[in-house]
Short mmCIF file of all heavy atoms in Angstrom, two decimals:
data_model
loop_
_atom_site.label_atom_id
_atom_site.label_comp_id
_atom_site.label_asym_id
_atom_site.label_seq_id
_atom_site.Cartn_x
_atom_site.Cartn_y
_atom_site.Cartn_z
N SER A 88 17.02 9.13 2.91
CA SER A 88 17.34 7.75 2.70
C SER A 88 16.00 6.88 2.51
O SER A 88 15.92 6.04 1.59
CB SER A 88 18.12 7.12 3.83
OG SER A 88 18.39 5.78 3.58
N MET A 89 15.01 7.16 3.27
CA MET A 89 13.75 6.50 3.10
C MET A 89 13.15 6.83 1.74
O MET A 89 12.62 5.95 1.12
CB MET A 89 12.80 6.88 4.23
CG MET A 89 13.04 6.28 5.59
SD MET A 89 12.03 6.95 6.92
CE MET A 89 10.44 6.46 6.31
N ILE A 90 13.22 8.09 1.33
CA ILE A 90 12.72 8.45 0.01
C ILE A 90 13.48 7.80 -1.04
O ILE A 90 12.85 7.31 -2.06
CB ILE A 90 12.80 10.03 -0.16
CG1 ILE A 90 11.93 10.74 0.84
CG2 ILE A 90 12.55 10.41 -1.61
CD1 ILE A 90 12.12 12.27 0.86
N LEU A 91 14.78 7.64 -0.94
CA LEU A 91 15.52 6.94 -1.87
C LEU A 91 15.15 5.42 -2.04
O LEU A 91 15.01 4.94 -3.13
CB LEU A 91 17.05 7.04 -1.51
CG LEU A 91 18.03 6.29 -2.41
CD1 LEU A 91 17.95 6.90 -3.85
CD2 LEU A 91 19.45 6.39 -1.85
N THR A 92 14.92 4.84 -0.98
CA THR A 92 14.53 3.37 -0.98
C THR A 92 13.16 3.24 -1.63
O THR A 92 12.89 2.24 -2.40
CB THR A 92 14.56 2.68 0.37
OG1 THR A 92 13.64 3.33 1.24
CG2 THR A 92 15.92 2.77 1.02
N VAL A 93 12.26 4.11 -1.28
CA VAL A 93 10.90 4.10 -1.92
C VAL A 93 11.02 4.33 -3.43
O VAL A 93 10.39 3.62 -4.25
CB VAL A 93 9.97 5.13 -1.30
CG1 VAL A 93 8.64 5.23 -2.09
CG2 VAL A 93 9.74 4.75 0.10
N TYR A 94 11.89 5.18 -3.85
CA TYR A 94 12.02 5.49 -5.27
C TYR A 94 12.66 4.25 -5.99
O TYR A 94 12.22 3.88 -7.07
CB TYR A 94 12.96 6.67 -5.53
CG TYR A 94 13.32 6.91 -6.93
CD1 TYR A 94 12.39 7.55 -7.83
CD2 TYR A 94 14.59 6.58 -7.43
CE1 TYR A 94 12.67 7.65 -9.18
CE2 TYR A 94 14.86 6.75 -8.82
CZ TYR A 94 13.94 7.28 -9.69
OH TYR A 94 14.29 7.48 -10.93
N ILE A 95 13.70 3.65 -5.41
CA ILE A 95 14.35 2.52 -6.04
C ILE A 95 13.43 1.32 -6.18
O ILE A 95 13.48 0.64 -7.16
CB ILE A 95 15.61 2.12 -5.19
CG1 ILE A 95 16.67 3.25 -5.27
CG2 ILE A 95 16.20 0.78 -5.69
CD1 ILE A 95 17.84 2.93 -4.38
N THR A 96 12.57 1.12 -5.18
CA THR A 96 11.66 -0.02 -5.28
C THR A 96 10.33 0.30 -5.95
O THR A 96 9.49 -0.56 -6.17
CB THR A 96 11.37 -0.61 -3.87
OG1 THR A 96 10.77 0.49 -3.12
CG2 THR A 96 12.60 -1.00 -3.15
N GLY A 97 10.13 1.59 -6.32
CA GLY A 97 8.89 1.95 -6.94
C GLY A 97 7.76 1.88 -6.02
O GLY A 97 6.58 1.69 -6.49
N ALA A 98 8.02 2.02 -4.74
CA ALA A 98 6.93 1.87 -3.66
C ALA A 98 6.21 0.51 -3.80
O ALA A 98 5.04 0.45 -3.49
CB ALA A 98 6.01 3.02 -3.79
N PHE A 99 6.86 -0.44 -4.31
CA PHE A 99 6.30 -1.79 -4.60
C PHE A 99 5.61 -2.39 -3.34
O PHE A 99 4.45 -2.84 -3.38
CB PHE A 99 7.34 -2.72 -5.16
CG PHE A 99 6.83 -4.00 -5.72
CD1 PHE A 99 6.18 -4.05 -6.90
CD2 PHE A 99 7.03 -5.21 -5.00
CE1 PHE A 99 5.66 -5.28 -7.42
CE2 PHE A 99 6.56 -6.40 -5.49
CZ PHE A 99 5.87 -6.47 -6.72
N HIS A 100 6.36 -2.41 -2.23
CA HIS A 100 5.83 -2.96 -1.04
C HIS A 100 4.83 -2.07 -0.26
O HIS A 100 3.94 -2.56 0.34
CB HIS A 100 6.98 -3.45 -0.16
CG HIS A 100 8.08 -4.25 -0.85
ND1 HIS A 100 7.72 -5.42 -1.42
CD2 HIS A 100 9.33 -4.00 -1.19
CE1 HIS A 100 8.81 -5.94 -1.99
NE2 HIS A 100 9.79 -5.07 -1.88
N GLU A 101 5.16 -0.77 -0.32
CA GLU A 101 4.24 0.21 0.28
C GLU A 101 2.89 0.15 -0.42
O GLU A 101 1.83 0.25 0.29
CB GLU A 101 4.85 1.58 0.20
CG GLU A 101 6.05 1.93 1.01
CD GLU A 101 7.35 1.40 0.46
OE1 GLU A 101 7.38 0.80 -0.66
OE2 GLU A 101 8.37 1.58 1.14
N ASP A 102 2.86 -0.03 -1.68
CA ASP A 102 1.56 -0.17 -2.36
C ASP A 102 0.80 -1.41 -1.92
O ASP A 102 -0.43 -1.29 -1.68
CB ASP A 102 1.86 -0.31 -3.89
CG ASP A 102 0.58 -0.51 -4.72
OD1 ASP A 102 -0.27 0.42 -4.68
OD2 ASP A 102 0.40 -1.57 -5.34
N GLY A 103 1.52 -2.47 -1.64
CA GLY A 103 0.85 -3.70 -1.12
C GLY A 103 0.34 -3.48 0.25
O GLY A 103 -0.79 -3.94 0.58
N PHE A 104 1.06 -2.67 1.04
CA PHE A 104 0.59 -2.38 2.38
C PHE A 104 -0.66 -1.53 2.33
O PHE A 104 -1.63 -1.88 3.11
CB PHE A 104 1.70 -1.67 3.17
CG PHE A 104 1.25 -1.22 4.58
CD1 PHE A 104 1.20 -2.16 5.62
CD2 PHE A 104 0.95 0.10 4.75
CE1 PHE A 104 0.77 -1.73 6.89
CE2 PHE A 104 0.49 0.53 6.02
CZ PHE A 104 0.44 -0.41 7.08
N THR A 105 -0.69 -0.51 1.53
CA THR A 105 -1.91 0.39 1.50
C THR A 105 -3.07 -0.43 0.97
O THR A 105 -4.18 -0.24 1.53
CB THR A 105 -1.65 1.60 0.60
OG1 THR A 105 -1.25 1.10 -0.73
CG2 THR A 105 -0.54 2.46 1.12
N ASP A 106 -2.87 -1.26 -0.08
CA ASP A 106 -4.00 -2.02 -0.61
C ASP A 106 -4.52 -2.97 0.46
O ASP A 106 -5.75 -3.24 0.56
CB ASP A 106 -3.61 -2.82 -1.83
CG ASP A 106 -3.43 -1.93 -3.05
OD1 ASP A 106 -3.94 -0.76 -2.99
OD2 ASP A 106 -2.78 -2.31 -4.02
N SER A 107 -3.63 -3.55 1.28
CA SER A 107 -4.02 -4.47 2.30
C SER A 107 -4.84 -3.71 3.40
O SER A 107 -5.83 -4.23 3.89
CB SER A 107 -2.80 -5.14 2.96
OG SER A 107 -2.12 -5.99 1.99
N CYS A 108 -4.35 -2.51 3.79
CA CYS A 108 -5.08 -1.72 4.73
C CYS A 108 -6.50 -1.50 4.28
O CYS A 108 -7.52 -1.60 5.04
CB CYS A 108 -4.38 -0.41 5.02
SG CYS A 108 -2.88 -0.56 5.97
N ASP A 109 -6.64 -1.04 3.01
CA ASP A 109 -7.96 -0.81 2.44
C ASP A 109 -8.78 -2.07 2.39
O ASP A 109 -10.00 -2.03 2.74
CB ASP A 109 -7.83 -0.21 1.04
CG ASP A 109 -7.44 1.30 1.01
OD1 ASP A 109 -7.79 1.95 1.98
OD2 ASP A 109 -6.80 1.70 0.07
N GLY A 110 -8.17 -3.13 1.89
CA GLY A 110 -8.98 -4.37 1.75
C GLY A 110 -9.44 -4.96 3.08
O GLY A 110 -10.64 -5.26 3.25
N PHE A 111 -8.51 -5.11 3.98
CA PHE A 111 -8.91 -5.75 5.26
C PHE A 111 -9.65 -4.73 6.15
O PHE A 111 -10.45 -5.15 7.02
CB PHE A 111 -7.66 -6.26 6.04
CG PHE A 111 -7.00 -7.48 5.37
CD1 PHE A 111 -5.77 -7.34 4.72
CD2 PHE A 111 -7.67 -8.71 5.33
CE1 PHE A 111 -5.19 -8.49 4.14
CE2 PHE A 111 -7.09 -9.85 4.73
CZ PHE A 111 -5.86 -9.66 4.12
N GLY A 112 -9.38 -3.49 5.98
CA GLY A 112 -10.11 -2.52 6.74
C GLY A 112 -11.53 -2.28 6.25
O GLY A 112 -12.47 -2.07 7.02
N GLY A 113 -11.75 -2.33 4.90
CA GLY A 113 -13.04 -2.03 4.38
C GLY A 113 -13.87 -3.20 3.96
O GLY A 113 -15.09 -3.05 3.66
N GLY A 114 -13.27 -4.36 3.87
CA GLY A 114 -14.01 -5.54 3.43
C GLY A 114 -14.33 -6.50 4.59
O GLY A 114 -13.51 -6.63 5.51
N TRP A 115 -15.58 -7.09 4.52
CA TRP A 115 -15.93 -8.11 5.54
C TRP A 115 -15.81 -9.53 5.03
O TRP A 115 -15.26 -10.38 5.73
CB TRP A 115 -17.42 -7.83 5.94
CG TRP A 115 -17.56 -6.53 6.69
CD1 TRP A 115 -17.94 -5.30 6.22
CD2 TRP A 115 -17.37 -6.34 8.13
NE1 TRP A 115 -17.94 -4.36 7.19
CE2 TRP A 115 -17.70 -4.96 8.36
CE3 TRP A 115 -17.01 -7.14 9.16
CZ2 TRP A 115 -17.56 -4.42 9.67
CZ3 TRP A 115 -16.93 -6.57 10.46
CH2 TRP A 115 -17.25 -5.26 10.67
N THR A 116 -16.15 -9.74 3.87
CA THR A 116 -16.11 -11.07 3.28
C THR A 116 -14.80 -11.19 2.46
O THR A 116 -14.15 -10.19 2.10
CB THR A 116 -17.23 -11.39 2.38
OG1 THR A 116 -17.24 -10.62 1.24
CG2 THR A 116 -18.61 -11.26 3.11
N LYS A 117 -14.43 -12.48 2.12
CA LYS A 117 -13.20 -12.67 1.28
C LYS A 117 -13.32 -11.96 0.00
O LYS A 117 -12.41 -11.29 -0.48
CB LYS A 117 -13.03 -14.16 1.04
CG LYS A 117 -11.96 -14.53 0.04
CD LYS A 117 -11.90 -16.03 -0.16
CE LYS A 117 -10.89 -16.38 -1.28
NZ LYS A 117 -10.76 -17.87 -1.46
N GLU A 118 -14.53 -12.10 -0.69
CA GLU A 118 -14.72 -11.42 -1.96
C GLU A 118 -14.60 -9.88 -1.87
O GLU A 118 -14.05 -9.24 -2.78
CB GLU A 118 -16.11 -11.82 -2.52
CG GLU A 118 -16.26 -13.27 -2.92
CD GLU A 118 -16.26 -14.24 -1.73
OE1 GLU A 118 -16.62 -13.73 -0.55
OE2 GLU A 118 -15.95 -15.44 -1.88
N GLN A 119 -15.13 -9.28 -0.83
CA GLN A 119 -15.04 -7.85 -0.61
C GLN A 119 -13.59 -7.41 -0.43
O GLN A 119 -13.12 -6.45 -1.06
CB GLN A 119 -15.89 -7.41 0.60
CG GLN A 119 -17.37 -7.53 0.36
CD GLN A 119 -18.15 -7.18 1.59
OE1 GLN A 119 -17.64 -7.34 2.73
NE2 GLN A 119 -19.44 -6.81 1.50
N VAL A 120 -12.85 -8.15 0.38
CA VAL A 120 -11.45 -7.81 0.61
C VAL A 120 -10.67 -7.88 -0.71
O VAL A 120 -9.88 -6.91 -1.00
CB VAL A 120 -10.84 -8.80 1.64
CG1 VAL A 120 -9.30 -8.54 1.76
CG2 VAL A 120 -11.49 -8.62 3.02
N LEU A 121 -10.81 -8.96 -1.42
CA LEU A 121 -10.02 -9.07 -2.67
C LEU A 121 -10.45 -8.03 -3.72
O LEU A 121 -9.57 -7.55 -4.47
CB LEU A 121 -10.22 -10.55 -3.29
CG LEU A 121 -9.66 -11.61 -2.43
CD1 LEU A 121 -9.95 -13.02 -3.09
CD2 LEU A 121 -8.18 -11.46 -2.17
N THR A 122 -11.75 -7.73 -3.78
CA THR A 122 -12.20 -6.68 -4.76
C THR A 122 -11.61 -5.36 -4.37
O THR A 122 -11.17 -4.59 -5.32
CB THR A 122 -13.73 -6.58 -4.72
OG1 THR A 122 -14.22 -7.88 -5.12
CG2 THR A 122 -14.17 -5.52 -5.70
N ILE A 123 -11.62 -5.03 -3.18
CA ILE A 123 -11.02 -3.65 -2.73
C ILE A 123 -9.51 -3.67 -2.99
O ILE A 123 -8.98 -2.63 -3.46
CB ILE A 123 -11.29 -3.45 -1.23
CG1 ILE A 123 -12.83 -3.32 -1.03
CG2 ILE A 123 -10.55 -2.16 -0.73
CD1 ILE A 123 -13.25 -3.19 0.45
N MET A 124 -8.82 -4.75 -2.73
CA MET A 124 -7.40 -4.83 -2.97
C MET A 124 -7.04 -4.61 -4.46
O MET A 124 -6.02 -3.99 -4.76
CB MET A 124 -6.84 -6.21 -2.54
CG MET A 124 -6.63 -6.34 -1.08
SD MET A 124 -5.82 -7.89 -0.69
CE MET A 124 -5.52 -7.81 1.05
N LYS A 125 -7.90 -5.06 -5.34
CA LYS A 125 -7.63 -4.92 -6.77
C LYS A 125 -7.86 -3.47 -7.28
O LYS A 125 -7.39 -3.10 -8.42
CB LYS A 125 -8.56 -5.89 -7.60
CG LYS A 125 -8.23 -7.31 -7.40
CD LYS A 125 -9.20 -8.22 -8.12
CE LYS A 125 -9.00 -9.69 -7.87
NZ LYS A 125 -9.96 -10.50 -8.55
N ASP A 126 -8.55 -2.70 -6.47
CA ASP A 126 -8.85 -1.31 -6.86
C ASP A 126 -7.55 -0.46 -6.73
O ASP A 126 -6.93 -0.43 -5.73
CB ASP A 126 -9.93 -0.73 -5.95
CG ASP A 126 -10.46 0.58 -6.44
OD1 ASP A 126 -9.74 1.30 -7.19
OD2 ASP A 126 -11.63 0.91 -6.14
N SER A 127 -7.18 0.16 -7.83
CA SER A 127 -5.94 0.94 -7.88
C SER A 127 -6.01 2.21 -7.01
O SER A 127 -4.97 2.81 -6.67
CB SER A 127 -5.53 1.28 -9.32
OG SER A 127 -6.53 2.10 -9.91
N ARG A 128 -7.23 2.66 -6.68
CA ARG A 128 -7.38 3.89 -5.89
C ARG A 128 -7.06 3.53 -4.44
O ARG A 128 -7.29 2.47 -3.90
CB ARG A 128 -8.82 4.40 -6.02
CG ARG A 128 -9.14 4.89 -7.41
CD ARG A 128 -10.64 5.17 -7.56
NE ARG A 128 -11.39 3.95 -7.39
CZ ARG A 128 -12.71 3.87 -7.51
NH1 ARG A 128 -13.38 5.00 -7.72
NH2 ARG A 128 -13.37 2.75 -7.35
N ILE A 129 -6.51 4.56 -3.77
CA ILE A 129 -6.24 4.42 -2.27
C ILE A 129 -7.37 5.02 -1.46
O ILE A 129 -7.84 6.09 -1.81
CB ILE A 129 -4.84 5.05 -1.94
CG1 ILE A 129 -4.50 4.75 -0.47
CG2 ILE A 129 -4.87 6.55 -2.25
CD1 ILE A 129 -3.12 5.22 -0.12
N GLY A 130 -7.75 4.30 -0.43
CA GLY A 130 -8.86 4.75 0.44
C GLY A 130 -8.36 5.32 1.74
O GLY A 130 -7.12 5.49 1.94
N ALA A 131 -9.27 5.55 2.62
CA ALA A 131 -9.00 6.18 3.92
C ALA A 131 -8.04 5.26 4.76
O ALA A 131 -7.07 5.71 5.36
CB ALA A 131 -10.26 6.50 4.70
N TYR A 132 -8.37 3.97 4.80
CA TYR A 132 -7.56 2.98 5.55
C TYR A 132 -6.12 2.98 5.06
O TYR A 132 -5.18 2.96 5.81
CB TYR A 132 -8.17 1.65 5.54
CG TYR A 132 -9.47 1.43 6.30
CD1 TYR A 132 -10.70 1.39 5.59
CD2 TYR A 132 -9.47 1.40 7.63
CE1 TYR A 132 -11.88 1.26 6.28
CE2 TYR A 132 -10.69 1.24 8.33
CZ TYR A 132 -11.85 1.17 7.70
OH TYR A 132 -13.05 0.99 8.33
N GLY A 133 -6.00 2.97 3.72
CA GLY A 133 -4.67 2.89 3.14
C GLY A 133 -3.83 4.19 3.41
O GLY A 133 -2.68 4.14 3.76
N THR A 134 -4.59 5.34 3.24
CA THR A 134 -3.89 6.64 3.47
C THR A 134 -3.42 6.74 4.90
O THR A 134 -2.25 7.08 5.18
CB THR A 134 -4.85 7.73 3.14
OG1 THR A 134 -5.34 7.64 1.80
CG2 THR A 134 -4.23 9.15 3.38
N VAL A 135 -4.32 6.47 5.86
CA VAL A 135 -3.95 6.62 7.25
C VAL A 135 -2.86 5.55 7.58
O VAL A 135 -1.93 5.92 8.32
CB VAL A 135 -5.19 6.40 8.14
CG1 VAL A 135 -4.77 6.38 9.61
CG2 VAL A 135 -6.19 7.53 7.93
N GLY A 136 -3.03 4.35 7.08
CA GLY A 136 -2.06 3.32 7.37
C GLY A 136 -0.66 3.61 6.92
O GLY A 136 0.27 3.44 7.72
N ILE A 137 -0.50 4.08 5.73
CA ILE A 137 0.84 4.33 5.18
C ILE A 137 1.45 5.53 5.86
O ILE A 137 2.72 5.58 6.11
CB ILE A 137 0.78 4.48 3.64
CG1 ILE A 137 2.24 4.42 3.08
CG2 ILE A 137 0.20 5.80 3.22
CD1 ILE A 137 2.92 3.06 3.26
N ILE A 138 0.67 6.54 6.25
CA ILE A 138 1.18 7.72 6.95
C ILE A 138 1.73 7.29 8.33
O ILE A 138 2.87 7.63 8.73
CB ILE A 138 0.16 8.78 7.06
CG1 ILE A 138 -0.18 9.46 5.77
CG2 ILE A 138 0.60 9.89 8.08
CD1 ILE A 138 -1.32 10.45 5.73
N LEU A 139 0.90 6.46 9.04
CA LEU A 139 1.35 5.98 10.34
C LEU A 139 2.58 5.08 10.19
O LEU A 139 3.47 5.14 11.05
CB LEU A 139 0.20 5.29 11.01
CG LEU A 139 -0.97 6.15 11.43
CD1 LEU A 139 -2.10 5.33 12.06
CD2 LEU A 139 -0.53 7.29 12.40
N LEU A 140 2.61 4.20 9.22
CA LEU A 140 3.63 3.29 9.05
C LEU A 140 4.95 3.99 8.72
O LEU A 140 6.00 3.74 9.44
CB LEU A 140 3.37 2.33 7.86
CG LEU A 140 4.47 1.26 7.67
CD1 LEU A 140 4.29 0.03 8.47
CD2 LEU A 140 4.51 0.86 6.17
N LEU A 141 4.97 4.89 7.79
CA LEU A 141 6.17 5.67 7.46
C LEU A 141 6.67 6.55 8.60
O LEU A 141 7.81 6.68 8.84
CB LEU A 141 5.96 6.46 6.17
CG LEU A 141 5.77 5.64 4.89
CD1 LEU A 141 5.48 6.57 3.71
CD2 LEU A 141 6.97 4.74 4.60
N GLY A 142 5.66 7.12 9.31
CA GLY A 142 6.02 7.93 10.45
C GLY A 142 6.70 7.15 11.55
O GLY A 142 7.64 7.54 12.16
N LEU A 143 6.12 5.95 11.79
CA LEU A 143 6.69 5.07 12.85
C LEU A 143 8.09 4.57 12.46
O LEU A 143 9.00 4.48 13.26
CB LEU A 143 5.73 3.85 13.08
CG LEU A 143 6.07 2.94 14.28
CD1 LEU A 143 6.09 3.72 15.55
CD2 LEU A 143 4.97 1.84 14.28
N LYS A 144 8.22 4.26 11.15
CA LYS A 144 9.53 3.82 10.62
C LYS A 144 10.56 4.90 10.80
O LYS A 144 11.68 4.71 11.30
CB LYS A 144 9.40 3.45 9.15
CG LYS A 144 10.65 2.90 8.59
CD LYS A 144 10.54 2.60 7.09
CE LYS A 144 9.41 1.59 6.75
NZ LYS A 144 9.40 1.29 5.32
N PHE A 145 10.26 6.11 10.45
CA PHE A 145 11.17 7.24 10.64
C PHE A 145 11.52 7.49 12.04
O PHE A 145 12.73 7.66 12.45
CB PHE A 145 10.56 8.56 10.06
CG PHE A 145 11.33 9.81 10.38
CD1 PHE A 145 12.51 10.09 9.71
CD2 PHE A 145 10.91 10.61 11.46
CE1 PHE A 145 13.19 11.19 10.03
CE2 PHE A 145 11.65 11.74 11.78
CZ PHE A 145 12.81 12.07 11.05
#
Side-chain angles (χ1 to χ4, degrees):
S88 179
M89 288 175 59
I90 293 171
L91 178 62
T92 60
V93 170
Y94 173 76
I95 292 174
T96 60
F99 189 75
H100 309 298
E101 288 82 0
D102 177 65
F104 175 79
T105 57
D106 286 344
S107 295
C108 288
D109 282 332
F111 290 112
W115 291 94
T116 66
K117 171 182 175 179
E118 290 72 22
Q119 289 175 337
V120 172
L121 295 179
T122 298
I123 294 173
M124 281 185 174
K125 292 176 185 177
D126 192 334
S127 60
R128 294 170 296 181
I129 184 172
Y132 289 105
T134 301
V135 173
I137 195 63
I138 290 173
L139 294 177
L140 179 89
L141 293 176
L143 188 58
K144 185 184 298 187
F145 169 78

